[in-house]
Amino acid sequence: YWDSYFTMLGLQASGRTDIIQGMVDNFAWLIDELGFIPNGNRTYYLGRSQPPFFVLMVQLLASIKGEAVLLRYRPQLEKEYAFWMEGENKLNAEENTHRRVVQMPDGCILNRYWDDRDTPRPEAYIEDVHLAERSGRDTATVYRHIRAAAESGWDFSSRWFADGQHMESIQTTDLIPVDLNCLLYCLEKTLLQIHRQLPDRTATDIFKEKARLRKHAIQQYCWDEAACFYMDYNHVNN
């Protein structure tokens, strides 16, 4: 999924808008058909997506063909947003996580990477089994962390390891990734831009507030003043 966006940047430089258009249409079809864009076009990837770059793909096409492109893909942008935010209304102080959404201590909602399955990945089955055995941890939890890291596209980086060294300590779903939340902030801002062109102001107010709250939460939880750098935030141990 996300690799394709960087391919599109090369296609833009090469003047191949026709291929960019075809790729965006293919991704829009996946969202319409499945409700999200899977990690890859294989049935065993149906438990996870990848970083939500569809909004940047649509913006890239709009920069070439004009703002009407944003309105054309509004349904798919909204569907992908709904996929990432599914379950946000179920969250509370006692049950503060559901799939890809996490309620933070101050009530703000941020996102994490996830996979709906907690079994070894078919594309790396034996490696996952051996890793889970070596970890000495609950195997289903380890598999979920591995799969969530695959959703992130950073598979695999010490970014996801509790000890920063060994994959056996992987903790992906415990982390609020700054990149994911910035992409979703971009999606909220884009949906706000789209709805400002429409007569119904209700959605405009909703996305304006959602973007404001996410920006505040990213600053609150992911900005490290001492390091002058944005970091991932561990929502389990705060």
Side-chain angles (χ1 to χ4, degrees), residues 124-170:
Y125 188 91
I126 197 65
E127 295 93 332
D128 288 359
V129 169
H130 288 164
L131 179 75
E133 289 174 349
R134 290 197 309 270
S135 75
R137 302 160 63 194
D138 174 66
T139 55
T141 300
V142 174
Y143 295 143
R144 180 96 68 193
H145 286 315
I146 292 171
R147 285 171 166 270
E151 179 169 82
S152 79
W154 293 59
D155 44 338
F156 288 91
S157 167
S158 59
R159 173 185 187 183
W160 310 122
F161 306 161
D163 65 4
Q165 296 290 325
H166 304 99
M167 192 168 164
E168 288 83 355
S169 69
I170 193 164

Side-chain angles (χ1 to χ4, degrees), residues 5 10 17 50 82-83 93 111 118 120 128 131 143 153 164 167 182 217-218:
Y5 172 69
T17 305
Q50 269 204 341
F83 166 79
N111 289 76
D118 60 0
D128 288 359
L131 179 75
Y143 295 143
M167 192 168 164
C182 288
I218 291 170

Side-chain angles (χ1 to χ4, degrees), residues 18-201:
D18 57 325
I19 303 180
I20 296 173
Q21 180 71 68
M23 293 169 77
V24 170
D25 286 339
N26 284 343
F27 281 125
W29 182 88
L30 283 170
I31 293 172
D32 285 338
E33 190 74 10
L34 303 173
F36 72 108
I37 298 173
N39 188 144
N41 266 341
R42 318 199 227 324
T43 54
Y44 57 76
Y45 284 146
L46 288 175
R48 65 179 181 265
S49 184
Q50 269 204 341
F53 270 77
F54 184 67
V55 62
L56 294 184
M57 297 174 181
V58 172
Q59 284 184 348
L60 179 65
L61 190 60
S63 72
I64 302 168
K65 291 192 166 185
E67 285 220 349
V69 168
L70 298 179
L71 280 170
R72 174 179 173 182
Y73 294 102
R74 169 194 155 200
Q76 292 82 19
L77 291 166
E78 290 180 337
K79 281 182 185 176
E80 184 170 58
Y81 185 71
F83 166 79
W84 285 93
M85 299 307 295
E86 193 275 319
E88 65 172 320
N89 295 325
K90 302 177 183 177
L91 302 180
N92 54 62
E94 287 73 38
E95 299 289 335
N96 70 322
T97 64
H98 177 79
R99 298 181 77 206
R100 292 164 179 83
V101 288
V102 179
Q103 182 172 298
M104 307 305 286
D106 64 357
C108 288
I109 306 296
L110 288 173
N111 289 76
R112 63 179 177 176
Y113 291 115
W114 182 256
D115 190 309
D116 290 328
R117 300 171 183 175
D118 60 0
T119 55
R121 295 169 300 149
E123 71 272 23
Y125 188 91
I126 197 65
E127 295 93 332
D128 288 359
V129 169
H130 288 164
L131 179 75
E133 289 174 349
R134 290 197 309 270
S135 75
R137 302 160 63 194
D138 174 66
T139 55
T141 300
V142 174
Y143 295 143
R144 180 96 68 193
H145 286 315
I146 292 171
R147 285 171 166 270
E151 179 169 82
S152 79
W154 293 59
D155 44 338
F156 288 91
S157 167
S158 59
R159 173 185 187 183
W160 310 122
F161 306 161
D163 65 4
Q165 296 290 325
H166 304 99
M167 192 168 164
E168 288 83 355
S169 69
I170 193 164
Q171 58 174 358
T172 318
T173 69
D174 295 350
L175 301 178
I176 300 294
V178 65
D179 55 348
L180 171 59
N181 284 281
C182 288
L183 286 166
L184 289 168
Y185 175 67
C186 176
L187 179 50
E188 287 163 345
K189 294 280 284 185
T190 301
L191 288 169
L192 172 61
Q193 179 184 350
I194 291 169
H195 280 283
R196 278 179 170 155
Q197 303 175 50
L198 302 173
D200 183 5
R201 308 302 294 178

